[in-house]
Structures are given as structure tokens and as C-alpha cells.
Amino acid sequence: MSSRRQEFVAQLTLALPILGGQLAQTANGFVDTLMAGRVSANDLAAVAVGASIWVPLYLFMTGVLMSATPILSRHLGGEAYHRINPLAQQGIWLAMGLGVLSALILRSVAPILVWMDVDPAIRPMVSGYLDALSWGMPGAALMLAMRSYTEAMNHTRPVLLFSVIGLLINIPSNYVLIYGKLGFPAMGGVGCGWATSLVMWSMALMMLVYTHRHPVYQHAPLNLRQRHFEVPSLGYMLRLGLPVGLTIFFEVSIFAIIALLIGSLGAQIVASHQIALNFTSLIFMIPLSFAIAATVRVGHARGRHDQTSLRHAVQVAHMITLVVGVVASLALVLARHWIPHIYTDNREVIELASYLLLFAALYQISDALQVCANGCLRGFEDTGWPMIMTLFAYWGVGLPLGYVLGLTSLLGDPMGPAGFWIGLVAGLTTAAILLGWRLYWRMQQPLPAPTENASPEPQQAA
């Protein structure tokens, strides 16, 4: 088998369980929405408002904790197995700090709800939902840290396994706590928060037990009885991960701002925009999963100081995501008329959503390439400049252009939501070009000479 074919198989093996796990976790949100909506409109609204607060916080935490993956991958590639336990523990320390901080934020949202002008009738329910969910945030953070550890070990199946089990726990837990079964009081939407906390801790504890017992981890085991606290390594993880978390926040926030800006154009336009956005967000999980796999493969190649494997890892990752982007683009064009029927029967909403999906098809290739380049750069432990580049692409190009085209007459008649989607195309294309250039430049830099004791901070050009 050729080296490129081996690399393709390796990335496919890594990415597919990650993709399955992400889809299972997304299904949790769908289940919460469906089951809360059957209680009352207020319960559904409370869960939706609460999700708009905790999900961006969770995604930020996810981005920061991704920093452990390339660091552990580099040390595993260099066979510095003695460093895996201490470094993995630094990821857990960082996760616990972020989890507790996130919990405190969620328990202090009352002023935010007032600032957001949330309906006073549902504010107590939103606060109760977030209070209940806050207890699970340390568990979610621990699960994310353990995910970085197992992904770096080239073992991603547990992510899929425990995500599916988490979904299976969430459904009956919601049923019991929302509707008041088995002697529990009926909590409505607040019960979703408690069920989600239960799922978060269940997944984290299952992952801890699994990694402790499964033989695949024995050459670099995680031993929490031997406690390590290394301030330099912890600080490096935070410096590496903070730009990733902010990058994810920039990307999530631009979609939230667009939704607010078009909110005055009417409910049908907002609904059409949301349908197109929701469906393309599901598609985005495919290149994202391969980008995470690319992070691991690039990190391993760097650890081995294997320039050929490094080049193959980057090339194969880009070939895969390019194919994914092309297929996704063609699928959206061909299926744009029936996709909106999944969400609604309103003819006007369906027609407008079908039109917007054409613009979504335009950026599938650039979106796939930009997330791939970002994943490869994380494997290089290069996150600072990518953050600046994506900030410029989203907020310096995409949003301003979308606003001008969508809501002003500076470049012709206002185009409404189509103008914002053109802005997204421009922003994501800009991000793909800038990140691709950064990755090309990084590939030209010589790898640092191997050392006997690998340090957490690689010797690399700025």
C-alpha cells in the first residue's frame, strides 16, 4: 500500500467516528427541542434561549481544550511516552478550571436575560434550565479533555460510542424529568437542563473508565494517581487553545449577528435563513471531522520529524475535504428544493430557503478548505495568526459586505438575506486563501531537530 493510501485510510479511520459522535451530540439538542416543545411554547422558548447562551460557551471551551490534541500527538509521534501522562493531566486541570468558570457564568445570567430583553414570563424558566445545566459543565469539560487524549492516541471510536450512549441516556432522562415520571416532579424545560448535566457527567466518567481499562492506552497510560501540575505546560496549552476558542466564537457570533440584523425583515425571511443555516451546519461537521483527524496526523508526523509523512498528511487532508466540498456543493444544488420541506410546509419559506441554499452551495468548497487548513495549522501548534486571519475574514470582509449588500443601497438595491449569504461566501473564501497561504508558509519551515526530552513548547518560527 502506498504511503498516501495509508494516510488516507488513517485519516478516514480517525474522522468517521468523530463525525458520528458529533451527529449524536447534535441529536441531543434536537431531542431537547422536540420534547420541551410538547410541554408548552414557553418551555420550548426557554430551552431555545438557554441554548443560545450555553452552546457558544461550550464551543469556546471546546476550542480551548483542542490545544491538548496537537501537543499530545507530537509527543506520541516522537515516542516521548513518559510525557503523555503529565501533559494529559494539564489538559484535565485546564478543563476543570474552564468547566467551573462556565458553571459560574451560567448561574449568573439574570442580568444577561434582562439585557437580551427576554420575555419576563420565561426568565425564571431560562434561569432554572441554565442553573441545572451548569452542574454538568465541569463534566463536559472533562469529557473534552479526555477526547483530546484519546484522539491523540489514534483511537476515536470511544467518542462515537459514548456520544451514542449519551443520546440513549438523554431521551429517557428527559422523559422522566420533563414530564414527571418515576416519582420525580414535572420540571418542564428545566428538566432538560438536569438531563443534559446527567449526560455530560455520564460520558466523562465512562471515558475515564474506558481509557483506564482498555489495552490500547497501555503504552502511554493516563494515571491520575500520579498527579502532575506543570505551570509552563498548562500556560502553553492555554496560550495555544485560547485563539482556537476565540476563532470558534468569532465564527458562531457572526451567524448570530446576521440573524439579529435580518430580524426586522420578517418572520418568513428569518425562518428561511435559519433553515439554510441549520442544514449547512450539519454538512459542515463532515469537513470539520476530517480537520480534527488532520490535526492528529500532522502532530504525529511532526513528533517523528518525518517531513514526507507531514507533507502526505496535509495533501491527503486537502484532497479529502476538497472532494467533500465539491460533493456537498453539488448535493445542495440538486436537493435545494426538497431540503426545506424537512422543516416546514410554508410555500414562501420553502422558496426563499431553496434560493439561499444556492449561495450556501457556493461556499462549501472554500469552507471545507479553510477548516482543513485550520486543522493542519493546529497540528503545527500554530493558532495565533489563524485567529487573526479568520477574524479579518469574518468580521472585516464577510459581515461588512453582507450588511452593505443586504440592508443598504450602496451597491444597488438591498438584497436582504441573499446579500448576507454573499458576504459569507466572500468571508469564507478569504479565510480559505489566508489560511492556505499560512499553511503553505508553515510547510516551508524546517522541522526542529529532535531532542531527547520533548518540551511542551516546540522550537518553531513565529
PDB file of all heavy atoms in Angstrom, residues 196-226:
ATOM      1  N   THR A 196     -29.338  16.986  30.623  1.00  0.00           N
ATOM      2  CA  THR A 196     -28.087  17.261  29.912  1.00  0.00           C
ATOM      3  C   THR A 196     -26.893  17.155  30.857  1.00  0.00           C
ATOM      4  O   THR A 196     -25.843  16.625  30.481  1.00  0.00           O
ATOM      5  CB  THR A 196     -28.140  18.659  29.276  1.00  0.00           C
ATOM      6  OG1 THR A 196     -29.242  18.724  28.373  1.00  0.00           O
ATOM      7  CG2 THR A 196     -26.854  18.957  28.514  1.00  0.00           C
ATOM      8  N   SER A 197     -27.040  17.646  32.088  1.00  0.00           N
ATOM      9  CA  SER A 197     -25.957  17.513  33.068  1.00  0.00           C
ATOM     10  C   SER A 197     -25.654  16.055  33.348  1.00  0.00           C
ATOM     11  O   SER A 197     -24.479  15.653  33.459  1.00  0.00           O
ATOM     12  CB  SER A 197     -26.343  18.224  34.375  1.00  0.00           C
ATOM     13  OG  SER A 197     -26.307  19.623  34.224  1.00  0.00           O
ATOM     14  N   LEU A 198     -26.710  15.243  33.470  1.00  0.00           N
ATOM     15  CA  LEU A 198     -26.514  13.811  33.698  1.00  0.00           C
ATOM     16  C   LEU A 198     -25.756  13.178  32.542  1.00  0.00           C
ATOM     17  O   LEU A 198     -24.836  12.369  32.741  1.00  0.00           O
ATOM     18  CB  LEU A 198     -27.870  13.131  33.888  1.00  0.00           C
ATOM     19  CG  LEU A 198     -27.846  11.606  34.038  1.00  0.00           C
ATOM     20  CD1 LEU A 198     -27.072  11.203  35.283  1.00  0.00           C
ATOM     21  CD2 LEU A 198     -29.274  11.050  34.094  1.00  0.00           C
ATOM     22  N   VAL A 199     -26.103  13.558  31.314  1.00  0.00           N
ATOM     23  CA  VAL A 199     -25.431  13.024  30.134  1.00  0.00           C
ATOM     24  C   VAL A 199     -23.961  13.431  30.124  1.00  0.00           C
ATOM     25  O   VAL A 199     -23.063  12.619  29.842  1.00  0.00           O
ATOM     26  CB  VAL A 199     -26.129  13.508  28.851  1.00  0.00           C
ATOM     27  CG1 VAL A 199     -25.292  13.189  27.619  1.00  0.00           C
ATOM     28  CG2 VAL A 199     -27.507  12.870  28.729  1.00  0.00           C
ATOM     29  N   MET A 200     -23.687  14.697  30.439  1.00  0.00           N
ATOM     30  CA  MET A 200     -22.302  15.195  30.421  1.00  0.00           C
ATOM     31  C   MET A 200     -21.422  14.418  31.387  1.00  0.00           C
ATOM     32  O   MET A 200     -20.314  13.976  31.039  1.00  0.00           O
ATOM     33  CB  MET A 200     -22.287  16.684  30.760  1.00  0.00           C
ATOM     34  CG  MET A 200     -22.858  17.584  29.683  1.00  0.00           C
ATOM     35  SD  MET A 200     -22.999  19.306  30.245  1.00  0.00           S
ATOM     36  CE  MET A 200     -23.450  20.139  28.712  1.00  0.00           C
ATOM     37  N   TRP A 201     -21.896  14.231  32.614  1.00  0.00           N
ATOM     38  CA  TRP A 201     -21.089  13.512  33.605  1.00  0.00           C
ATOM     39  C   TRP A 201     -21.000  12.016  33.270  1.00  0.00           C
ATOM     40  O   TRP A 201     -19.960  11.384  33.492  1.00  0.00           O
ATOM     41  CB  TRP A 201     -21.661  13.714  35.004  1.00  0.00           C
ATOM     42  CG  TRP A 201     -21.169  14.967  35.652  1.00  0.00           C
ATOM     43  CD1 TRP A 201     -21.880  16.096  35.928  1.00  0.00           C
ATOM     44  CD2 TRP A 201     -19.834  15.222  36.089  1.00  0.00           C
ATOM     45  NE1 TRP A 201     -21.072  17.042  36.509  1.00  0.00           N
ATOM     46  CE2 TRP A 201     -19.817  16.533  36.636  1.00  0.00           C
ATOM     47  CE3 TRP A 201     -18.648  14.492  36.087  1.00  0.00           C
ATOM     48  CZ2 TRP A 201     -18.657  17.119  37.155  1.00  0.00           C
ATOM     49  CZ3 TRP A 201     -17.495  15.061  36.612  1.00  0.00           C
ATOM     50  CH2 TRP A 201     -17.498  16.357  37.135  1.00  0.00           C
ATOM     51  N   SER A 202     -22.074  11.444  32.742  1.00  0.00           N
ATOM     52  CA  SER A 202     -22.047  10.023  32.379  1.00  0.00           C
ATOM     53  C   SER A 202     -20.987   9.764  31.315  1.00  0.00           C
ATOM     54  O   SER A 202     -20.199   8.802  31.408  1.00  0.00           O
ATOM     55  CB  SER A 202     -23.422   9.582  31.868  1.00  0.00           C
ATOM     56  OG  SER A 202     -24.403   9.711  32.877  1.00  0.00           O
ATOM     57  N   MET A 203     -20.944  10.624  30.284  1.00  0.00           N
ATOM     58  CA  MET A 203     -19.962  10.444  29.216  1.00  0.00           C
ATOM     59  C   MET A 203     -18.547  10.603  29.740  1.00  0.00           C
ATOM     60  O   MET A 203     -17.642   9.844  29.366  1.00  0.00           O
ATOM     61  CB  MET A 203     -20.243  11.443  28.092  1.00  0.00           C
ATOM     62  CG  MET A 203     -21.527  11.176  27.330  1.00  0.00           C
ATOM     63  SD  MET A 203     -21.942  12.477  26.139  1.00  0.00           S
ATOM     64  CE  MET A 203     -20.531  12.365  25.025  1.00  0.00           C
ATOM     65  N   ALA A 204     -18.336  11.599  30.615  1.00  0.00           N
ATOM     66  CA  ALA A 204     -16.993  11.826  31.158  1.00  0.00           C
ATOM     67  C   ALA A 204     -16.519  10.643  31.985  1.00  0.00           C
ATOM     68  O   ALA A 204     -15.372  10.173  31.844  1.00  0.00           O
ATOM     69  CB  ALA A 204     -16.985  13.109  32.001  1.00  0.00           C
ATOM     70  N   LEU A 205     -17.382  10.117  32.844  1.00  0.00           N
ATOM     71  CA  LEU A 205     -16.984   9.002  33.710  1.00  0.00           C
ATOM     72  C   LEU A 205     -16.774   7.725  32.907  1.00  0.00           C
ATOM     73  O   LEU A 205     -15.848   6.949  33.182  1.00  0.00           O
ATOM     74  CB  LEU A 205     -18.041   8.796  34.794  1.00  0.00           C
ATOM     75  CG  LEU A 205     -18.183   9.965  35.796  1.00  0.00           C
ATOM     76  CD1 LEU A 205     -19.315   9.707  36.787  1.00  0.00           C
ATOM     77  CD2 LEU A 205     -16.872  10.206  36.540  1.00  0.00           C
ATOM     78  N   MET A 206     -17.623   7.504  31.895  1.00  0.00           N
ATOM     79  CA  MET A 206     -17.426   6.327  31.041  1.00  0.00           C
ATOM     80  C   MET A 206     -16.096   6.420  30.306  1.00  0.00           C
ATOM     81  O   MET A 206     -15.388   5.405  30.160  1.00  0.00           O
ATOM     82  CB  MET A 206     -18.588   6.198  30.059  1.00  0.00           C
ATOM     83  CG  MET A 206     -19.882   5.713  30.679  1.00  0.00           C
ATOM     84  SD  MET A 206     -21.188   5.345  29.457  1.00  0.00           S
ATOM     85  CE  MET A 206     -21.545   7.001  28.837  1.00  0.00           C
ATOM     86  N   MET A 207     -15.745   7.610  29.850  1.00  0.00           N
ATOM     87  CA  MET A 207     -14.475   7.773  29.147  1.00  0.00           C
ATOM     88  C   MET A 207     -13.292   7.535  30.085  1.00  0.00           C
ATOM     89  O   MET A 207     -12.289   6.919  29.697  1.00  0.00           O
ATOM     90  CB  MET A 207     -14.390   9.164  28.533  1.00  0.00           C
ATOM     91  CG  MET A 207     -13.125   9.414  27.736  1.00  0.00           C
ATOM     92  SD  MET A 207     -13.006   8.390  26.248  1.00  0.00           S
ATOM     93  CE  MET A 207     -13.914   9.417  25.081  1.00  0.00           C
ATOM     94  N   LEU A 208     -13.392   8.005  31.327  1.00  0.00           N
ATOM     95  CA  LEU A 208     -12.320   7.776  32.300  1.00  0.00           C
ATOM     96  C   LEU A 208     -12.117   6.281  32.540  1.00  0.00           C
ATOM     97  O   LEU A 208     -10.980   5.791  32.547  1.00  0.00           O
ATOM     98  CB  LEU A 208     -12.655   8.480  33.615  1.00  0.00           C
ATOM     99  CG  LEU A 208     -12.303   9.969  33.719  1.00  0.00           C
ATOM    100  CD1 LEU A 208     -12.841  10.539  35.024  1.00  0.00           C
ATOM    101  CD2 LEU A 208     -10.789  10.177  33.647  1.00  0.00           C
ATOM    102  N   VAL A 209     -13.200   5.551  32.747  1.00  0.00           N
ATOM    103  CA  VAL A 209     -13.101   4.113  32.987  1.00  0.00           C
ATOM    104  C   VAL A 209     -12.552   3.401  31.751  1.00  0.00           C
ATOM    105  O   VAL A 209     -11.676   2.529  31.856  1.00  0.00           O
ATOM    106  CB  VAL A 209     -14.478   3.545  33.381  1.00  0.00           C
ATOM    107  CG1 VAL A 209     -14.425   2.020  33.472  1.00  0.00           C
ATOM    108  CG2 VAL A 209     -14.937   4.132  34.713  1.00  0.00           C
ATOM    109  N   TYR A 210     -13.037   3.779  30.592  1.00  0.00           N
ATOM    110  CA  TYR A 210     -12.623   3.129  29.350  1.00  0.00           C
ATOM    111  C   TYR A 210     -11.124   3.310  29.108  1.00  0.00           C
ATOM    112  O   TYR A 210     -10.415   2.352  28.790  1.00  0.00           O
ATOM    113  CB  TYR A 210     -13.431   3.708  28.192  1.00  0.00           C
ATOM    114  CG  TYR A 210     -13.145   3.078  26.848  1.00  0.00           C
ATOM    115  CD1 TYR A 210     -13.865   1.971  26.411  1.00  0.00           C
ATOM    116  CD2 TYR A 210     -12.159   3.601  26.004  1.00  0.00           C
ATOM    117  CE1 TYR A 210     -13.619   1.387  25.169  1.00  0.00           C
ATOM    118  CE2 TYR A 210     -11.898   3.022  24.771  1.00  0.00           C
ATOM    119  CZ  TYR A 210     -12.632   1.927  24.368  1.00  0.00           C
ATOM    120  OH  TYR A 210     -12.366   1.367  23.145  1.00  0.00           O
ATOM    121  N   THR A 211     -10.638   4.545  29.232  1.00  0.00           N
ATOM    122  CA  THR A 211      -9.218   4.800  28.974  1.00  0.00           C
ATOM    123  C   THR A 211      -8.329   4.145  30.026  1.00  0.00           C
ATOM    124  O   THR A 211      -7.156   3.845  29.756  1.00  0.00           O
ATOM    125  CB  THR A 211      -8.941   6.311  28.935  1.00  0.00           C
ATOM    126  OG1 THR A 211      -9.411   6.925  30.142  1.00  0.00           O
ATOM    127  CG2 THR A 211      -9.631   6.969  27.752  1.00  0.00           C
ATOM    128  N   HIS A 212      -8.866   3.923  31.213  1.00  0.00           N
ATOM    129  CA  HIS A 212      -8.076   3.266  32.257  1.00  0.00           C
ATOM    130  C   HIS A 212      -7.952   1.766  32.012  1.00  0.00           C
ATOM    131  O   HIS A 212      -6.921   1.161  32.342  1.00  0.00           O
ATOM    132  CB  HIS A 212      -8.729   3.515  33.623  1.00  0.00           C
ATOM    133  CG  HIS A 212      -8.008   2.843  34.764  1.00  0.00           C
ATOM    134  ND1 HIS A 212      -6.761   3.242  35.186  1.00  0.00           N
ATOM    135  CD2 HIS A 212      -8.367   1.785  35.553  1.00  0.00           C
ATOM    136  CE1 HIS A 212      -6.374   2.470  36.193  1.00  0.00           C
ATOM    137  NE2 HIS A 212      -7.324   1.583  36.426  1.00  0.00           N
ATOM    138  N   ARG A 213      -8.982   1.161  31.393  1.00  0.00           N
ATOM    139  CA  ARG A 213      -9.016  -0.290  31.279  1.00  0.00           C
ATOM    140  C   ARG A 213      -8.629  -0.825  29.900  1.00  0.00           C
ATOM    141  O   ARG A 213      -8.161  -1.956  29.786  1.00  0.00           O
ATOM    142  CB  ARG A 213     -10.415  -0.811  31.641  1.00  0.00           C
ATOM    143  CG  ARG A 213     -10.788  -0.578  33.101  1.00  0.00           C
ATOM    144  CD  ARG A 213     -12.163  -1.154  33.409  1.00  0.00           C
ATOM    145  NE  ARG A 213     -12.508  -1.005  34.810  1.00  0.00           N
ATOM    146  CZ  ARG A 213     -12.154  -1.852  35.774  1.00  0.00           C
ATOM    147  NH1 ARG A 213     -11.441  -2.922  35.465  1.00  0.00           N
ATOM    148  NH2 ARG A 213     -12.517  -1.652  37.016  1.00  0.00           N
ATOM    149  N   HIS A 214      -8.825  -0.037  28.847  1.00  0.00           N
ATOM    150  CA  HIS A 214      -8.602  -0.576  27.503  1.00  0.00           C
ATOM    151  C   HIS A 214      -7.105  -0.695  27.215  1.00  0.00           C
ATOM    152  O   HIS A 214      -6.333   0.232  27.481  1.00  0.00           O
ATOM    153  CB  HIS A 214      -9.258   0.324  26.455  1.00  0.00           C
ATOM    154  CG  HIS A 214      -9.491  -0.364  25.153  1.00  0.00           C
ATOM    155  ND1 HIS A 214      -8.478  -0.601  24.243  1.00  0.00           N
ATOM    156  CD2 HIS A 214     -10.624  -0.884  24.591  1.00  0.00           C
ATOM    157  CE1 HIS A 214      -8.974  -1.224  23.192  1.00  0.00           C
ATOM    158  NE2 HIS A 214     -10.270  -1.408  23.373  1.00  0.00           N
ATOM    159  N   PRO A 215      -6.676  -1.815  26.646  1.00  0.00           N
ATOM    160  CA  PRO A 215      -5.235  -2.040  26.417  1.00  0.00           C
ATOM    161  C   PRO A 215      -4.600  -1.096  25.406  1.00  0.00           C
ATOM    162  O   PRO A 215      -3.377  -0.950  25.382  1.00  0.00           O
ATOM    163  CB  PRO A 215      -5.180  -3.488  25.923  1.00  0.00           C
ATOM    164  CG  PRO A 215      -6.558  -3.808  25.437  1.00  0.00           C
ATOM    165  CD  PRO A 215      -7.480  -3.010  26.293  1.00  0.00           C
ATOM    166  N   VAL A 216      -5.397  -0.448  24.543  1.00  0.00           N
ATOM    167  CA  VAL A 216      -4.819   0.414  23.522  1.00  0.00           C
ATOM    168  C   VAL A 216      -4.070   1.595  24.132  1.00  0.00           C
ATOM    169  O   VAL A 216      -3.195   2.187  23.505  1.00  0.00           O
ATOM    170  CB  VAL A 216      -5.920   0.916  22.553  1.00  0.00           C
ATOM    171  CG1 VAL A 216      -6.766   2.011  23.201  1.00  0.00           C
ATOM    172  CG2 VAL A 216      -5.308   1.430  21.250  1.00  0.00           C
ATOM    173  N   TYR A 217      -4.380   1.940  25.392  1.00  0.00           N
ATOM    174  CA  TYR A 217      -3.747   3.091  26.030  1.00  0.00           C
ATOM    175  C   TYR A 217      -2.549   2.703  26.900  1.00  0.00           C
ATOM    176  O   TYR A 217      -1.928   3.588  27.505  1.00  0.00           O
ATOM    177  CB  TYR A 217      -4.768   3.830  26.915  1.00  0.00           C
ATOM    178  CG  TYR A 217      -6.002   4.282  26.186  1.00  0.00           C
ATOM    179  CD1 TYR A 217      -7.166   3.517  26.215  1.00  0.00           C
ATOM    180  CD2 TYR A 217      -6.015   5.466  25.454  1.00  0.00           C
ATOM    181  CE1 TYR A 217      -8.307   3.913  25.536  1.00  0.00           C
ATOM    182  CE2 TYR A 217      -7.153   5.870  24.775  1.00  0.00           C
ATOM    183  CZ  TYR A 217      -8.284   5.086  24.817  1.00  0.00           C
ATOM    184  OH  TYR A 217      -9.408   5.494  24.142  1.00  0.00           O
ATOM    185  N   GLN A 218      -2.229   1.418  26.959  1.00  0.00           N
ATOM    186  CA  GLN A 218      -1.250   0.971  27.943  1.00  0.00           C
ATOM    187  C   GLN A 218       0.175   1.442  27.664  1.00  0.00           C
ATOM    188  O   GLN A 218       0.986   1.533  28.582  1.00  0.00           O
ATOM    189  CB  GLN A 218      -1.276  -0.568  28.041  1.00  0.00           C
ATOM    190  CG  GLN A 218      -2.577  -1.100  28.628  1.00  0.00           C
ATOM    191  CD  GLN A 218      -2.977  -0.400  29.914  1.00  0.00           C
ATOM    192  OE1 GLN A 218      -2.212  -0.357  30.879  1.00  0.00           O
ATOM    193  NE2 GLN A 218      -4.174   0.194  29.931  1.00  0.00           N
ATOM    194  N   HIS A 219       0.500   1.759  26.395  1.00  0.00           N
ATOM    195  CA  HIS A 219       1.863   2.220  26.134  1.00  0.00           C
ATOM    196  C   HIS A 219       2.052   3.690  26.537  1.00  0.00           C
ATOM    197  O   HIS A 219       3.187   4.153  26.665  1.00  0.00           O
ATOM    198  CB  HIS A 219       2.218   2.042  24.660  1.00  0.00           C
ATOM    199  CG  HIS A 219       1.410   2.893  23.731  1.00  0.00           C
ATOM    200  ND1 HIS A 219       0.078   2.644  23.468  1.00  0.00           N
ATOM    201  CD2 HIS A 219       1.741   3.987  23.005  1.00  0.00           C
ATOM    202  CE1 HIS A 219      -0.369   3.551  22.620  1.00  0.00           C
ATOM    203  NE2 HIS A 219       0.610   4.372  22.321  1.00  0.00           N
ATOM    204  N   ALA A 220       0.953   4.394  26.765  1.00  0.00           N
ATOM    205  CA  ALA A 220       1.027   5.778  27.251  1.00  0.00           C
ATOM    206  C   ALA A 220      -0.182   6.031  28.146  1.00  0.00           C
ATOM    207  O   ALA A 220      -1.072   6.807  27.804  1.00  0.00           O
ATOM    208  CB  ALA A 220       1.055   6.763  26.084  1.00  0.00           C
ATOM    209  N   PRO A 221      -0.254   5.347  29.297  1.00  0.00           N
ATOM    210  CA  PRO A 221      -1.465   5.398  30.113  1.00  0.00           C
ATOM    211  C   PRO A 221      -1.635   6.728  30.833  1.00  0.00           C
ATOM    212  O   PRO A 221      -0.674   7.439  31.123  1.00  0.00           O
ATOM    213  CB  PRO A 221      -1.253   4.260  31.114  1.00  0.00           C
ATOM    214  CG  PRO A 221       0.236   4.156  31.246  1.00  0.00           C
ATOM    215  CD  PRO A 221       0.778   4.478  29.885  1.00  0.00           C
ATOM    216  N   LEU A 222      -2.890   7.025  31.132  1.00  0.00           N
ATOM    217  CA  LEU A 222      -3.240   8.183  31.943  1.00  0.00           C
ATOM    218  C   LEU A 222      -3.443   7.685  33.367  1.00  0.00           C
ATOM    219  O   LEU A 222      -4.396   6.963  33.663  1.00  0.00           O
ATOM    220  CB  LEU A 222      -4.517   8.840  31.421  1.00  0.00           C
ATOM    221  CG  LEU A 222      -5.055  10.030  32.215  1.00  0.00           C
ATOM    222  CD1 LEU A 222      -4.040  11.166  32.246  1.00  0.00           C
ATOM    223  CD2 LEU A 222      -6.374  10.512  31.626  1.00  0.00           C
ATOM    224  N   ASN A 223      -2.536   8.046  34.252  1.00  0.00           N
ATOM    225  CA  ASN A 223      -2.559   7.585  35.647  1.00  0.00           C
ATOM    226  C   ASN A 223      -2.808   8.789  36.546  1.00  0.00           C
ATOM    227  O   ASN A 223      -1.893   9.557  36.848  1.00  0.00           O
ATOM    228  CB  ASN A 223      -1.245   6.895  35.997  1.00  0.00           C
ATOM    229  CG  ASN A 223      -1.269   6.279  37.391  1.00  0.00           C
ATOM    230  OD1 ASN A 223      -2.241   6.428  38.143  1.00  0.00           O
ATOM    231  ND2 ASN A 223      -0.202   5.573  37.741  1.00  0.00           N
ATOM    232  N   LEU A 224      -4.040   8.951  36.991  1.00  0.00           N
ATOM    233  CA  LEU A 224      -4.388  10.116  37.808  1.00  0.00           C
ATOM    234  C   LEU A 224      -3.902   9.987  39.242  1.00  0.00           C
ATOM    235  O   LEU A 224      -3.958  10.964  39.998  1.00  0.00           O
ATOM    236  CB  LEU A 224      -5.906  10.313  37.789  1.00  0.00           C
ATOM    237  CG  LEU A 224      -6.510  10.610  36.411  1.00  0.00           C
ATOM    238  CD1 LEU A 224      -8.014  10.796  36.523  1.00  0.00           C
ATOM    239  CD2 LEU A 224      -5.879  11.851  35.799  1.00  0.00           C
ATOM    240  N   ARG A 225      -3.435   8.793  39.635  1.00  0.00           N
ATOM    241  CA  ARG A 225      -2.865   8.654  40.989  1.00  0.00           C
ATOM    242  C   ARG A 225      -1.508   9.357  41.086  1.00  0.00           C
ATOM    243  O   ARG A 225      -1.098   9.763  42.167  1.00  0.00           O
ATOM    244  CB  ARG A 225      -2.731   7.175  41.344  1.00  0.00           C
ATOM    245  CG  ARG A 225      -4.076   6.456  41.469  1.00  0.00           C
ATOM    246  CD  ARG A 225      -3.896   4.998  41.827  1.00  0.00           C
ATOM    247  NE  ARG A 225      -5.179   4.320  41.962  1.00  0.00           N
ATOM    248  CZ  ARG A 225      -5.314   3.028  42.233  1.00  0.00           C
ATOM    249  NH1 ARG A 225      -4.221   2.267  42.399  1.00  0.00           N
ATOM    250  NH2 ARG A 225      -6.513   2.489  42.335  1.00  0.00           N
ATOM    251  N   GLN A 226      -0.819   9.442  39.956  1.00  0.00           N
ATOM    252  CA  GLN A 226       0.447  10.187  39.915  1.00  0.00           C
ATOM    253  C   GLN A 226       0.140  11.599  39.426  1.00  0.00           C
ATOM    254  O   GLN A 226       0.156  11.871  38.235  1.00  0.00           O
ATOM    255  CB  GLN A 226       1.444   9.489  38.992  1.00  0.00           C
ATOM    256  CG  GLN A 226       1.804   8.080  39.402  1.00  0.00           C
ATOM    257  CD  GLN A 226       2.721   7.403  38.396  1.00  0.00           C
ATOM    258  OE1 GLN A 226       3.075   7.979  37.360  1.00  0.00           O
ATOM    259  NE2 GLN A 226       3.120   6.166  38.694  1.00  0.00           N
TER     260      GLN A 226
END
